[in-house]
């Protein structure tokens, strides 16, 4: 729309889109209003819109992921997590144990995460495991332990939702950021449900998902009305066996070009070994990531889950110092 377009003119365009059986997405910037039409574009005649008052130009966007596309929101989005910005100039590190084990463990972990300079905490109360006999998490009790420990240091929490039936419980415990894991990236019923809540969503990339499939999964969430989506690259499965997964650093600049939404990286699940995490984290920040999701544990050898990839408090503190230098060189802040 033109800079001079009135609210009535914007509404007239919206009405025209609805009259053709499509739905609209209105993006309002400080100086520009962009109206996206979702649905069968063949039903729209571009010339009909070009003559409407207030319209500056009409562009046909063939990408299926319209809401999450940078074409409909040229400026990058910054998502607020209890006042902490994710995206833009600041880089956020989310750290904590792979799984919630005990209240003392979580209390120690929260203190160490805060002392290292991280501003958000992760922890798994519900754990998807390859083996049905492996530790599956403490469930609701784990949510309580996580929140109690994190709140003592004013740390927003990130934890994974596996089952849509637990969404109300997550809302009851006021989980700050809901994580959709790699194995659920295309669980479309789950994506639709989290699209209806007003919570930031971390959407991890599936083990063998293409960029387009990942973007379309995010579109499911956005189509439900929740645009607070954070992409998380966590490594993809290839023929290589020397490490857990292949961290696709290339995905970071590709996503930053394709979408306006923040992009973070999980170096812990990519390498699968603590000694790899620092190098992968540094590469991710250098490539433009908006944040990191890092596993740490008060006593890594005793971790109940993924002990090999958990950092100690000392390793996390050292990593944060290195990342600050990289961020500064890029004109960003950690």
């Amino acid at each position: 729309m033109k800079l001079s377009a009135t609210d009535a003119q914007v509404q007239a365009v919206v009405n025209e889109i609805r009259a053709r059986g499509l739905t609209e997405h209105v993006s309002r910037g400080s100086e520009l209003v962009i109206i996206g039409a979702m649905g069968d574009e063949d039903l729209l005649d571009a010339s009909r819109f070009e003559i409407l008052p207030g319209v500056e130009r009409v562009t046909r966007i063939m990408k299926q992921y319209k809401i999450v596309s940078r074409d409909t929101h040229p400026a990058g989005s910054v998502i607020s997590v209890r006042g902490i910005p994710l995206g833009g100039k600041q880089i956020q590190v989310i750290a904590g144990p792979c799984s919630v084990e005990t209240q003392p463990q979580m209390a120690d972990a929260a203190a160490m995460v805060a002392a290292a300079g991280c501003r958000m905490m992760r922890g798994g109360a519900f754990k998807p495991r390859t083996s049905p006999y492996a530790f599956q998490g403490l469930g609701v009790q784990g949510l309580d332990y996580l929140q109690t420990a994190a709140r003592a240091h004013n740390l927003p929490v990130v934890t994974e939702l596996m089952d849509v039936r637990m969404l109300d419980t997550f809302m009851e415990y006021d989980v700050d950021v809901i994580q959709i894991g790699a194995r659920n990236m295309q669980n479309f019923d789950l994506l639709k449900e989290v699209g209806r809540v007003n919570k930031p969503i971390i959407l991890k990339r599936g083990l063998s998902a293409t960029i387009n499939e990942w973007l379309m999964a995010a579109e499911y969430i956005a189509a439900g009305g929740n645009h607070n989506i954070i992409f998380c690259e966590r490594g993809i499965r290839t023929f290589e066996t020397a490490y857990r997964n292949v961290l696709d650093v290339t995905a970071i600049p590709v996503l930053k070009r394709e979408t306006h939404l923040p992009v973070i990286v999980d170096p812990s699940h990519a390498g699968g070994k603590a000694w790899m995490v620092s190098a992968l984290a540094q590469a991710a920040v250098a490539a433009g990531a908006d944040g990191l999701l890092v596993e740490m544990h008060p006593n890594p050898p005793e971790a109940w889950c993924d002990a090999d990839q958990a950092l100690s408090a000392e390793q996390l503190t050292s990593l944060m110092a290195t990342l600050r230098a990289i961020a500064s060189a890029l004109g960003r802040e950690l």
Side-chain angles (χ1 to χ4, degrees), residues 6-261:
T6 64
D7 289 343
Q9 290 170 338
V10 170
Q11 188 60 47
V13 173
V14 168
N15 293 341
E16 186 70 21
I17 291 172
R18 293 176 179 174
R20 298 294 182 270
L22 284 78
T23 58
E24 80 286 346
H25 173 253
V26 181
S27 177
R28 296 180 181 272
S30 58
E31 297 182 349
L32 195 64
V33 176
I34 299 174
I35 305 174
M38 276 72 71
D40 185 357
E41 294 182 357
D42 292 335
L43 299 176
L44 299 182
D45 180 2
S47 62
R48 174 71 186 88
F49 286 89
E50 288 172 342
I51 63 173
L52 292 177
V55 173
E56 181 175 288
R57 64 179 180 276
V58 178
T59 303
R60 187 173 292 274
I61 301 172
M62 299 309 293
K63 295 174 182 175
Q64 292 177 296
Y65 44 92
K66 295 177 174 61
I67 301 175
V68 305
S69 171
R70 189 172 284 275
D71 292 339
T72 58
H73 195 295
S77 292
V78 177
I79 294 175
S80 176
V81 181
R82 273 211 283 135
I84 299 172
L86 211 164
K89 187 176 181 180
Q90 288 198 17
I91 299 170
Q92 303 297 346
V93 178
I94 307 164
C98 172
S99 63
V100 178
E101 300 164 7
T102 66
Q103 186 67 73
Q105 169 240 11
M106 293 306 295
D108 289 345
M112 293 170 181
V113 167
C118 304
R119 301 183 68 190
M120 287 184 263
M121 185 174 183
R122 59 153 296 155
F126 300 86
K127 298 300 301 178
R129 305 300 298 278
T130 302
S131 169
Y133 309 112
F135 175 60
Q136 307 287 319
L138 296 179
V140 175
Q141 185 180 49
L143 291 178
D144 183 58
Y145 288 171
L146 174 60
Q147 282 287 32
T148 300
R151 290 291 187 260
H153 299 275
N154 197 31
L155 296 168
V157 299
V158 177
T159 193
E160 181 173 349
L161 175 67
M162 295 171 52
D163 189 333
V164 68
R165 292 172 296 181
M166 293 303 300
L167 181 56
D168 288 343
T169 303
F170 272 51
M171 299 301 289
E172 178 185 342
Y173 276 84
D174 197 22
V175 170
D176 297 291
V177 182
I178 297 173
Q179 175 183 304
I180 302 298
R183 292 170 179 83
N184 272 319
M185 189 204 81
Q186 289 185 308
N187 183 340
F188 300 122
D189 287 337
L190 183 59
L191 300 180
K192 290 175 184 177
E193 287 303 313
V194 297
R196 297 188 178 102
V197 301
N198 186 27
K199 292 281 186 180
I201 307 297
I202 289 179
L203 180 64
K204 282 197 166 186
R205 185 180 186 179
L207 278 69
S208 302
T210 65
I211 296 290
N212 187 73
E213 289 168 339
W214 194 9
L215 287 161
M216 288 304 297
E219 190 77 5
Y220 263 93
I221 300 172
N226 186 356
H227 301 169
N228 297 309
I229 306 166
I230 302 154
F231 289 93
C232 181
E233 162 62 32
R234 45 83 69 203
I236 54 176
R237 179 172 291 171
T238 70
F239 54 84
E240 186 53 71
T241 58
Y243 34 83
R244 187 170 182 176
N245 296 290
V246 176
L247 180 64
D248 187 6
V249 178
T250 312
I252 302 169
V254 170
L255 280 177
K256 300 292 281 187
R257 179 184 177 91
E258 289 295 316
T259 179
H260 56 90
L261 297 167

